[in-house]
Amino acid sequence: NIISFLDPDMIVLGGGVSHAGEFLLNAVRERLPQYLMFKTLPYAELRQAKLGNDAGIIGAALLGSVLVALADTSAGQAHLYGDLLSLASAVAVVKLIGAFYKLPLNNILGDVGKTYFNTAYEIYSVLLTLSTAGLPLAISKLTSQAQAQGRENEKRKILRVALVLFFVIGAVGSLFMFTCAEDLARFQNNQSAFLSIRALSPAVFCVCLLACIRGYTQGQGNMTPTAASQVLEALCKLGLGLPLAWYLLYIGRGLES
């Protein structure tokens, strides 16, 4: 999805796995064309990271120096570290929930069901990226500037305009995904996946609004809503999505209905 949408000139593989060198790169180069959305386009050059397994350590050191520079007061440090802790905790919880969600889901759907799901999710990811690319960051930056200057009315105006904008973008994206589901499924060479595409279409609208609110709260320096929403999203997948998939497949209509 990243290659198909962003069309990067180069992809650099780092970390411990990069020590495999050309053995890894050659295997990736061989398999990569099979997963590209647009098969006829040239794909990115693959290279091994020069820093290898030290990239993470160096990056962490640089990030630490930036955080120390930003948190120049004890109050700032406490607030910054609290936000980082909440986000890190949320990521850990989401990963843990994801482990309990993905494995049973794959077993429930089976090979055929997974192809339908993957096809729908690829289209959803592209539309979501097109709908929200850069906008939450822009909202966060504008909100942060307004808050630093004490302009509360401007902050509220930014939120109102952003909500309307994301409402329209999300609605258009969901409507397009729903009404053009059969054409999108044919484009992905999986015509039977059109019902999965339609079922996933409302998520574009919901996630657009969620991205707007996250950008606004992050601009105010409050990371708690972002962390909480990530955990809530993962819990909804586990508590609602998984049972619903099982019900529809084995008690309800089934894959071919």
Side-chain angles (χ1 to χ4, degrees):
N1 288 338
I2 293 176
I3 294 176
S4 298
F5 181 70
L6 298 180
D7 191 24
D9 294 325
M10 182 184 300
I11 294 177
V12 180
L13 299 179
V17 71
S18 65
H19 289 308
E22 288 300 317
F23 176 77
L24 171 66
L25 296 179
N26 289 335
V28 175
R29 292 188 187 108
E30 182 180 349
R31 296 296 299 273
L32 182 59
Q34 302 176 24
Y35 298 97
L36 288 178
M37 183 177 298
F38 304 104
K39 310 291 184 183
T40 58
L41 295 180
Y43 55 89
E45 179 183 359
L46 295 173
R47 287 192 181 181
Q48 182 180 6
K50 292 183 179 180
L51 295 178
N53 200 33
D54 294 333
I57 299 174
I58 296 173
L62 290 174
L63 177 60
S65 66
V66 171
L67 294 178
V68 170
L70 291 175
D72 53 356
T73 64
S74 58
Q77 286 180 347
H79 179 71
L80 183 61
Y81 294 154
D83 285 341
L84 289 175
L85 180 61
S86 64
L87 285 175
S89 300
V91 170
V93 172
V94 168
K95 293 293 184 182
L96 181 62
I97 295 173
F100 287 100
Y101 166 74
K102 291 181 180 179
L103 293 177
L105 181 65
N106 288 338
N107 292 331
I108 291 172
L109 295 180
D111 293 336
V112 175
K114 282 189 291 185
T115 63
Y116 296 165
F117 176 83
N118 291 335
T119 298
Y121 195 82
E122 287 176 1
I123 294 171
Y124 159 80
S125 298
V126 172
L127 288 176
L128 184 62
T129 304
L130 290 172
S131 301
T132 61
L135 292 178
L137 181 60
I139 294 171
S140 179
K141 183 176 181 179
L142 291 173
T143 303
S144 178
Q145 290 174 348
Q147 178 161 306
Q149 297 171 4
R151 296 181 294 185
E152 294 297 323
N153 289 336
E154 184 173 340
K155 280 173 51 180
R156 288 190 287 270
K157 182 178 179 181
I158 291 171
L159 179 60
R160 289 196 300 269
V161 173
L163 284 173
V164 172
L165 177 62
F166 275 80
F167 183 95
V168 173
I169 292 175
V172 171
S174 291
L175 187 62
F176 172 77
M177 190 171 174
F178 184 87
T179 56
C180 300
E182 295 187 32
D183 294 328
L184 292 171
R186 279 194 295 269
F187 177 76
Q188 290 290 83
N189 296 319
N190 192 356
Q191 297 184 20
S192 300
F194 75 95
L195 288 176
S196 300
I197 297 173
R198 284 180 178 171
L200 198 56
S201 61
V204 176
F205 175 76
C206 297
V207 176
C208 274
L209 292 181
L210 187 60
C212 172
I213 296 172
R214 284 176 177 173
Y216 179 74
T217 56
Q218 289 170 8
Q220 298 182 88
N222 185 5
M223 301 299 175
T224 302
T226 297
S229 64
Q230 289 176 344
V231 174
L232 182 61
E233 182 180 347
L235 287 174
C236 287
K237 288 180 180 179
L238 179 64
L240 297 177
L242 201 61
L244 187 60
W246 176 81
Y247 174 79
L248 292 177
L249 187 58
Y250 290 106
I251 300 178
R253 303 185 61 180
L255 284 174
E256 305 299 334
S257 299

